[in-house]
């Protein structure tokens, strides 16, 4: 995604750069750099999911910070997925993501 496509996607989704940064938990500077150089694949994926599922902008109400404890976050996500019958699918998705993002012995991500 080019920088112009990134900015257009934010506008289309009703997000500002600052609001998007707060929403996904990155610094404002990071999103400003994406607007200058193009976003990484994970940011494009997040924008795609936001658009696909019609997630409304939270810029008009302050966000609650995500728990710093990843186990707590994953547990909450699993509970939500299980409540709609998607628990096994959620586990499979997390396993796939972990496999595709694991580090090799040199510390680089595959």
């Amino acid at each position: 995604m080019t920088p112009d496509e990134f900015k257009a996607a934010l506008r289309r989704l009703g997000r500002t750069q600052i609001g998007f940064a707060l929403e996904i938990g990155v610094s404002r500077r990071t999103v400003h750099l994406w607007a200058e150089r193009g976003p990484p694949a994970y940011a494009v994926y997040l924008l795609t999911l936001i658009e696909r599922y019609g997630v409304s902008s939270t810029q008009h109400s302050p966000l609650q910070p995500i728990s710093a404890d990843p186990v707590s976050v994953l547990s909450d996500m699993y509970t939500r997925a299980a409540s709609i019958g998607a628990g096994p699918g959620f586990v499979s998705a997390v396993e796939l993501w972990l496999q595709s993002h694991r580090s090799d012995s040199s510390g680089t991500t595959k």
Side-chain angles (χ1 to χ4, degrees), residues 2-77:
T2 68
D4 287 338
E5 291 170 332
F6 175 67
K7 290 182 274 191
L10 289 177
R11 279 191 302 274
R12 188 173 58 250
L13 297 170
R15 269 113 172 132
T16 63
Q17 290 178 24
I18 293 171
F20 187 61
L22 290 169
E23 189 172 13
I24 66 169
V26 298
S27 73
R28 290 182 277 167
R29 177 151 173 70
T30 296
V31 176
H32 289 310
L33 288 173
W34 295 347
E36 291 176 10
R37 301 178 187 160
Y42 77 88
V44 174
Y45 182 65
L46 287 172
L47 285 171
T48 301
L49 291 176
I50 288 168
E51 190 161 35
R52 180 181 301 152
Y53 295 105
V55 177
S56 61
S57 174
T58 58
Q59 293 178 26
H60 301 294
S61 61
L63 291 174
Q64 298 300 317
I66 295 175
S67 168
D69 175 23
V71 174
S72 169
V73 171
L74 281 172
S75 177
D76 181 54
M77 291 171 72

